[in-house]
Amino acid sequence: MNKPVVYSGIQPTGIITIGNYIGAITNWLKLQDEYDCIYGIADLHALTVRQVPAEYRARALSFFAQYLASGLDPRKNILYFQSHVHEHAELSWILNCFTYIGEMQRMTQFKDKAAKHTDNLNMGLLDYPVLMAADILLYQAALVPVGADQKQHLEITRDIAIRFNNLYSPTFTVPEAYIGKQGARIFSLQDPSAKMSKSDPDPNGAVSVIEDENSIAGKFRRAVTDSENSVRYDPENKPGISNLMTIMSETGGMTIEEIEKNYRDKGYAVFKNAVAEAVIERLRPIREEYTRLMADKAYLMDIARDGAERAGRIARKTLSKVKRKVGLVELK
Ligand code: ATP
Ligand code: LTN
């Protein structure tokens, strides 16, 4: 590998929304030629909350297929399941011994989740950032595209890497957050002050990339707007309409100005239908490819196996270096 490595992971929980697609996946598609990109389905991470096994297995596979269907090319990127490369868990243990309990207890996500999951306050919740550090450091990733909520985890990853490098000798690349061209932020269709979220309990707030057309049209029809009935971009005073304009512009290719010109006085009903149409058209090939992939599990598994092998090769190299440095006996 000679291009800089980009690593990111996604937990297979909830649904992949058009927010994830517009804000993250379309950025990843632009990176595939310039960087060596590795994307993992973070299926060990999501075990920190209780999952129904059969549903979880199906969802993880479905996420994998949605990534492929969205255009991530398995020949250009390494796409794999975290749990298929056991080096993640192994490095995570070693890094645990270089991470302080206090550091983990200070993590915002831990504090939030600990408050939410009082009935299942397991060690995994506390240890979550160390597993994430292992994900990133195993591949010597230079850049990590993450949302704002994960920046703190990236900081602790850097701290752990620097600590290890200083104690021994340079071992890990110290990664940086990758803030690509600010992908548009997409807000909930039901509450335009909150971001569209893959785990939104209100099914009308978010649209999935593989949703059926009638359902998409219905959600846009019900989208919360204001009563002015004028299509004008004004995120502060008209957050609902402005959000719909962003979605239309990101999926249909028209600029905000063009949308304003075309729809200004057409009324919200007409405009909402047009937004739904743009989204439906953009997602159609993704849904079709997704259906095709899900009907060919053997092919999906071949891609996953190939990804795990390629990821495993890199991971093993880093892990054996780490084991040597900390003084574990090598089997030669
Ligand atoms: P959750 O709501 O469960 O926290 P999420 O929808 O925020 O999940 P993440 O897994 O945290 O999804 O984010 C994956 C990627 O998608 C991140 O890069 C994040 O910046 C991006 N993303 C998530 N939601 C949006 C959104 N509404 N608009 C733009 N980008 C988004
Ligand atoms: N914690 C991240 C998912 C994730 C990740 C990673 C992101 C797991 N491992 C490694 C970047 C790099 C999240 O919840 N979005």
Side-chain angles (χ1 to χ4, degrees):
M1 285 206 177
N2 32 31
K3 299 181 208 160
V5 175
V6 165
Y7 188 95
S8 198
I10 180 124
Q11 297 194 71
T13 52
I15 55 170
I16 300 180
T17 70
I18 56 171
N20 299 130
Y21 179 71
I22 293 168
I25 298 176
T26 53
N27 269 339
W28 295 0
L29 297 180
K30 290 182 210 137
L31 299 177
Q32 27 189 33
D33 296 315
E34 234 177 293
Y35 298 96
D36 280 322
C37 302
I38 307 177
Y39 299 112
I41 300 284
D43 53 356
L44 295 175
H45 272 108
L47 285 180
T48 51
V49 290
R50 276 299 164 257
Q51 307 289 347
V52 178
E55 280 173 18
Y56 189 51
R57 191 175 292 120
R59 184 173 310 107
L61 197 61
S62 165
F63 265 53
F64 192 67
Q66 289 178 59
Y67 278 117
L68 294 170
S70 302
L72 285 177
D73 183 342
R75 285 163 305 187
K76 291 187 182 163
N77 306 282
I78 297 180
L79 308 170
Y80 76 109
F81 291 80
Q82 181 189 35
S83 66
H84 292 166
V85 178
H86 58 72
E87 283 77 6
H88 289 249
E90 226 175 316
L91 180 61
S92 169
W93 173 257
I94 296 177
L95 297 182
N96 272 336
C97 305
F98 296 87
T99 308
Y100 299 104
I101 297 170
E103 290 177 313
M104 297 293 99
Q105 285 169 329
R106 277 198 294 277
M107 294 287 118
T108 312
Q109 181 179 295
F110 171 70
K111 288 194 272 188
D112 289 350
K113 289 202 175 169
K116 252 202 257 169
H117 303 280
T118 44
D119 55 332
N120 182 19
L121 191 43
N122 61 69
M123 284 297 296
L125 282 177
L126 183 64
D127 205 25
Y128 184 110
V130 180
L131 180 58
M132 183 161 155
D135 295 345
I136 296 166
L137 300 180
L138 268 181
Y139 301 99
Q140 307 289 353
L143 299 169
V144 182
V146 282
D149 60 324
Q150 296 297 316
K151 287 229 182 90
Q152 204 183 25
H153 291 165
L154 201 63
E155 274 308 307
I156 201 75
T157 300
R158 290 169 56 86
D159 292 346
I160 295 170
I162 292 168
R163 187 173 298 156
F164 193 98
N165 287 348
N166 287 342
L167 268 169
Y168 300 95
S169 55
T171 308
F172 296 122
T173 302
V174 180
E176 286 186 34
Y178 178 88
I179 313 295
K181 263 235 206 70
Q182 184 50 45
R185 273 198 102 49
I186 306 301
F187 297 92
S188 159
L189 299 184
Q190 286 302 308
D191 174 6
S193 69
K195 74 165 193 158
M196 185 178 283
S197 154
K198 69 205 248 283
S199 50
D200 189 343
D202 179 350
N204 286 319
V207 171
S208 143
V209 295
I210 50 166
E211 195 153 326
D212 85 72
E213 304 187 354
N214 287 332
S215 169
I216 296 177
K219 286 184 184 179
F220 280 102
R221 258 198 310 276
R222 284 188 293 273
V224 169
T225 52
D226 51 72
S227 54
E228 193 193 35
N229 218 28
S230 163
V231 176
R232 194 160 53 73
Y233 190 74
D234 179 355
E236 210 156 286
N237 301 305
K238 295 167 70 64
I241 283 295
S242 303
N243 186 40
L244 295 182
M245 293 174 82
T246 306
I247 293 173
M248 184 170 198
S249 153
E250 292 288 329
T251 52
M254 253 193 269
T255 63
I256 296 285
E257 292 74 34
E258 287 165 341
I259 296 171
E260 210 166 276
K261 215 162 92 209
N262 287 340
Y263 292 97
R264 187 161 187 137
D265 303 314
K266 296 252 166 72
Y268 286 175
V270 170
F271 173 58
K272 283 174 165 182
N273 273 335
V275 180
E277 211 37 58
V279 171
I280 287 169
E281 283 307 316
R282 178 64 176 266
L283 296 184
R284 181 172 295 129
I286 297 179
R287 192 160 42 96
E288 285 171 359
E289 177 64 3
Y290 171 77
T291 309
R292 206 183 61 71
L293 289 168
M294 289 302 277
D296 191 353
K297 296 271 159 52
Y299 172 73
L300 271 182
M301 285 306 74
D302 281 346
I303 304 274
R305 191 171 299 108
D306 180 61
E309 271 164 22
R310 287 158 65 206
R313 245 174 273 141
I314 307 167
R316 272 194 295 285
K317 221 166 118 194
T318 303
L319 184 65
S320 69
K321 200 154 85 167
V322 169
K323 286 178 155 177
R324 213 169 335 113
K325 297 222 180 173
V326 298
L328 296 171
V329 174
E330 284 175 276
L331 248 191
K332 285 201 177 147

